[in-house]
Amino acid sequence: MQKRFCNVVRVAIALTIFLTILIGTRAASQGQQTVVIVNPEANGQPQSLSPENIRNATPVPFPTLQPSETGLQQVLPVPESTSDNQSPVVISESGLPDPDANRAAATAFPHQWTNQGQANAERVSEADGIFANAAVQAEECAPSWGPLDWCQHPRTSYWGNYWKSLQTQYPWKAVGKLMFRDDEDDWHFCTAQVITGPPKNLIATAGHCVYYFDKKVYYKDWTFIPAAMNGNEPYGEFKFKTVRVLTRWIDGGNSRDDVALISLQNNSKGEPVGFYTGWLGVQLNLPYTQNLTLMGYSTNNSTNDDLKGKWTTVNHGQSFFFEDDTICPGFSGEDAVFIGSDFAPGSSGGAWISQLQPFQPSAAGNYVVSVVSGPLQCSQGGVVTSPSGIIEGARFSDANIGILCKAEGGCVTPLPGGQN
Amino acid sequence: MKNSVPTTVLLVLAIACGPAWAAGPVAATTYNWTGFYVGLNTGLAINDSGYTLRPTGNFLTDLHYISDNPLRTDSGNLNGAAFTIGGQFGYNYQVGRYVFGLETDFDYNGTDNSSYVNRPLASPLVGNIVHAVNQQVDCFGTLRARFGFTPAGRFLIYGTGGLAYGNVSSSSNVLFTSASDNYIGSSSGLHAGWTLGAGGEYALTNKWSVKFEYLYIDLGSQSYTYAARPPFTNFSYTTDLDTTQHVIRVGFNYKF
């Protein structure tokens, strides 16, 4: 009898300790707005990816709509105005690469620069010509077509860093391929872009390139290859130092939270990524309707399976928002923004750029205002529909990338000479 | 202070030689300084150098920076005393109580002085500027004319001046804490300037003499520019270094 009593007491004590730890851990996690993953080999010698890893990597799938208990996503109220509810804020100015960056890169990676021509010379089929430099015009909308038909949201589309004239030039070269492995060690890729120079060396990408919401697992071994083009790596590879994602993305999987920041180590030559590529700026709270440029390693760039996602595709279009939440029930609501685009998987995390300033001696403009999350998805009555030709992204604000930047101690690249 | 030194030297010479010049030539002393001589010297080299660190490169061309450049410009001194030892060779020619001569010398110089500053930047700049400047003078030499007067017996007082040269090495390290932009540079080379001084020499025997000498040495200015580490390589700093020293030394000469 006494022995049984002692066992009951032991179990009770153990249960109490377990519950205390569980509650404490939960409370601690609820207090954190971001989750950070630190590379245990942050100070180790970077190890290059094999050409096979890069060639055989598959694009990460777009996230799928996550039904809530009500059958819809966790929807935020639709903002009263899509244009002036908040003032745009530039939290990070863009910066040019070092003037000698390409010469230094050619010295550091001579094989990559010798092969640059060969990589470009690997011709695609004539059928791909339609993708190469085509202005995709909207079809004339029939009277019966609604606001979700892509004809309402025209865009132009052309190849980006396939062209040698763009691959190693700012701002295109600030965009690159983000490689990483899943829990089965298979390699996948997304798109990411440099948003700060040293010492932070941050790139922005989509949250679903860090945490696979559908399977509830983190990816691993993130490696950034700026200006990657069909296996060509003119600036080398940059291993991650830390990866930071919103807790809300992990908990909710909403596109408005689908953003992540990755800080990078220097490359094998000891140089920071921004030295070679420069960096794009970051702007928050931009009005929902804007003329924007999207860049991403979209896998619909070629009809040849071996060339899919091997270079960037560029889309120009005008972003928009649904003020009427009956048009696309279940969409994310505030801080989710849309644009007409034919982007396919691989473009995940690709920049939505405001005020693109191509071939300019100044880095002014070139603000990242969103990253590709996936196709617009609507959900009603448990049925998910995805209108073709419309891409969704997190409209950068204090509620998403602002939180990540704050957790990183800011996304500002310090200016030399103590300049404020 | 640097400008006052040559003036002081001239004043000393004027006081020392003035009465003699006023009195005019007198009978020759029993000791004659005419002849070649060679000798050794040793003493102290007192460093009285100064430097200015100033922003250059894009700091001067980017309108975002120009107005704040005075706030990131610093000056400082490099002071200290070092051991010096060397030798000299020369020729004296005595006319009455006046001695005219030409002397060259070459000395080891152990000058190795540094300056370190860590100060907050004034608004609107942020963070601190931290800089260290080092200067080394390995050796120096002179080629000087000497003009002397023998006030009594075997004693000679003289003024001297001419060319000075020396091997000066310098390194600078400027760091801004806000962006960790770091500017590191160095310079080393032979620099020429001028020297002016005065001394007294006493003939111990007909062959040996002992001397006490002061030299003010100005090895001129040297400037060197150095860029920051990437990605700030278009921004640079320049060190303007003025090398001046006071040399106080004693020596022995052997006349032959």
Side-chain angles (χ1 to χ4, degrees):
Chain A
M1 182 69 180
Q2 190 178 3
K3 188 177 178 184
R4 181 178 295 171
F5 177 75
C6 288
N7 285 338
V8 169
V9 170
R10 283 193 191 116
V11 169
I13 291 172
L15 199 60
T16 303
I17 292 171
F18 174 74
L19 287 173
T20 303
I21 293 172
L22 188 67
I23 292 168
T25 306
R26 182 63 182 165
S29 68
Q30 285 176 339
Q32 298 296 322
Q33 292 183 293
T34 68
V35 174
V36 64
I37 302 165
V38 179
N39 187 347
E41 299 174 358
N43 296 317
Q45 181 67 25
Q47 205 169 25
S48 297
L49 295 172
S50 71
E52 289 73 27
N53 294 150
I54 299 170
R55 187 165 52 244
N56 299 329
T58 57
V60 76
F62 282 141
T64 54
L65 197 62
Q66 300 303 313
S68 67
E69 290 178 359
T70 60
L72 303 176
Q73 282 183 283
Q74 296 172 6
V75 180
L76 287 176
V78 175
E80 292 180 2
S81 167
T82 59
S83 58
D84 60 357
N85 56 327
Q86 289 171 302
S87 300
V89 178
V90 173
I91 61 167
S92 172
E93 290 288 356
S94 50
L96 289 174
D98 188 280
D100 291 326
N102 282 353
R103 191 168 55 188
T107 303
F109 309 103
H111 183 67
Q112 296 294 338
W113 287 73
T114 304
N115 280 351
Q116 192 181 21
Q118 294 175 9
N120 276 334
E122 188 175 328
R123 297 304 305 173
V124 293
S125 69
E126 286 187 11
D128 283 344
I130 192 172
F131 300 114
N133 203 8
V136 179
Q137 303 295 333
E139 293 180 29
E140 191 174 338
C141 290
S144 60
W145 290 4
L148 293 181
D149 288 306
W150 76 275
C151 68
Q152 304 281 2
H153 309 290
R155 82 282 181 186
T156 58
S157 178
Y158 57 88
W159 284 346
N161 63 20
Y162 172 83
W163 308 107
K164 282 175 67 175
S165 57
L166 303 187
Q167 187 196 6
T168 56
Q169 297 299 315
Y170 181 86
W172 294 275
K173 65 179 177 178
V175 178
K177 184 172 279 192
L178 180 66
M179 303 284 298
F180 47 88
R181 290 193 295 167
D182 62 18
D183 54 344
E184 295 173 352
D185 286 342
D186 292 327
W187 284 95
H188 302 282
F189 69 88
C190 274
T191 304
Q193 39 283 321
V194 185
I195 61 162
T196 74
K200 293 185 184 296
N201 303 314
L202 291 174
I203 58 173
T205 189
H208 71 268
C209 303
V210 171
Y211 180 78
Y212 190 6
F213 188 88
D214 294 12
K215 292 177 68 176
K216 304 285 187 275
V217 294
Y218 286 97
Y219 294 113
K220 59 186 179 183
D221 297 340
W222 294 268
T223 301
F224 182 62
I225 309 172
M229 207 296 281
N230 197 21
N232 181 235
E233 303 176 1
Y235 306 108
E237 299 176 358
F238 298 82
K239 302 288 181 187
F240 85 103
K241 187 185 294 178
T242 62
V243 171
R244 192 177 293 275
V245 67
L246 289 167
T247 307
R248 284 210 313 266
W249 166 251
I250 295 166
D251 290 343
N254 286 306
S255 61
R256 63 171 178 271
D257 301 320
D258 192 4
V259 59
L261 293 182
I262 300 176
S263 71
L264 300 174
Q265 303 177 46
N266 293 345
N267 68 2
S268 59
K269 304 299 178 185
E271 298 290 359
V273 64
F275 166 75
Y276 297 109
T277 66
W279 53 93
L280 308 177
V282 176
Q283 192 171 23
L284 309 185
N285 308 333
L286 202 65
Y288 287 85
T289 302
Q290 292 290 318
N291 291 319
L292 300 176
T293 303
L294 280 61
M295 297 186 188
Y297 286 86
S298 178
T299 43
N300 62 351
N301 63 313
S302 173
T303 55
N304 183 341
D305 285 344
D306 291 338
L307 298 177
K308 288 182 183 298
K310 293 297 192 288
W311 50 80
T312 57
T313 298
V314 181
N315 276 188
H316 292 298
Q318 189 177 66
S319 60
F320 63 97
F321 185 81
F322 298 122
E323 295 187 44
D324 180 354
D325 59 2
T326 63
I327 295 173
C328 179
F331 80 97
S332 290
E334 188 170 0
D335 282 342
V337 65
F338 317 103
I339 195 166
S341 170
D342 59 0
F343 272 3
S347 63
S348 294
W352 299 30
I353 301 172
S354 168
Q355 301 178 46
L356 182 74
Q357 303 290 331
F359 299 116
Q360 295 299 312
S362 164
N366 297 310
Y367 298 120
V368 182
V369 298
S370 178
V371 290
V372 173
S373 175
L376 170 64
Q377 297 172 90
C378 311
S379 173
Q380 194 164 30
V383 177
V384 175
T385 57
S386 184
S388 67
I390 299 176
I391 287 289
E392 184 173 3
R395 170 184 175 258
F396 282 1
S397 73
D398 290 324
N400 44 51
I401 198 170
I403 293 172
L404 294 172
C405 282
K406 193 174 178 183
E408 287 287 342
C411 284
V412 176
T413 302
L415 296 172
Q419 201 72 27
N420 198 355
Chain B
M1 182 172 181
K2 289 170 197 163
N3 289 336
S4 67
V5 171
T7 309
T8 307
V9 170
L10 291 173
L11 190 62
V12 168
L13 287 173
I15 294 169
C17 302
W21 290 333
V26 294
T29 57
T30 55
Y31 181 80
N32 193 311
W33 290 88
T34 299
F36 286 98
Y37 62 90
V38 64
L40 298 173
N41 68 72
T42 186
L44 284 179
I46 301 167
N47 199 16
D48 188 22
S49 299
Y51 67 88
T52 300
L53 295 172
R54 56 186 170 90
T56 48
N58 268 13
F59 284 119
L60 303 183
T61 55
D62 190 327
L63 296 177
H64 197 51
Y65 294 85
I66 290 172
S67 60
D68 295 327
N69 279 333
L71 302 177
R72 50 173 78 93
T73 300
D74 267 357
S75 296
N77 296 319
L78 294 160
N79 298 120
F83 177 69
T84 178
I85 186 168
Q88 66 271 357
F89 173 75
Y91 179 78
N92 284 329
Y93 181 73
Q94 184 167 352
V95 178
R97 298 180 70 175
Y98 298 111
V99 176
F100 304 93
L102 192 64
E103 180 175 299
T104 182
D105 59 37
F106 187 79
D107 280 38
Y108 160 81
N109 189 322
T111 297
D112 185 353
N113 296 129
S114 296
S115 167
Y116 175 83
V117 172
N118 183 351
R119 67 169 176 88
L121 289 159
S123 179
L125 303 183
V126 294
N128 280 31
I129 179 173
V130 183
H131 57 75
V133 177
N134 175 261
Q135 178 202 36
Q136 295 180 16
V137 182
D138 306 325
C139 58
F140 72 96
T142 67
L143 177 62
R144 292 172 284 115
R146 295 208 308 175
F147 175 65
F149 171 70
T150 55
R154 293 170 171 268
F155 190 55
L156 168 70
I157 59 172
Y158 60 88
T160 183
L163 171 74
Y165 58 92
N167 193 53
V168 182
S169 303
S170 175
S171 61
S172 299
N173 189 330
V174 182
L175 171 72
F176 289 91
T177 57
S178 59
S180 298
D181 45 324
N182 198 188
Y183 309 76
I184 301 175
S186 62
S187 169
S188 181
L190 196 64
H191 295 271
W194 57 270
T195 179
L196 194 63
E201 190 166 353
Y202 183 78
L204 298 169
T205 69
N206 285 343
K207 292 291 186 185
W208 289 96
S209 61
V210 60
K211 72 171 184 178
F212 176 85
E213 187 174 67
Y214 164 80
L215 291 178
Y216 174 80
I217 294 176
D218 186 337
L219 293 180
S221 297
Q222 65 188 100
S223 296
Y224 55 100
T225 298
Y226 36 96
R229 288 269 303 150
F232 303 125
T233 45
N234 288 334
F235 293 85
S236 58
Y237 251 78
T238 294
T239 298
D240 299 318
L241 178 68
D242 295 323
T243 302
T244 56
Q245 294 202 327
H246 306 274
V247 175
I248 301 168
R249 59 188 181 183
V250 296
F252 290 91
N253 283 331
Y254 177 78
K255 193 174 81 167
F256 55 94

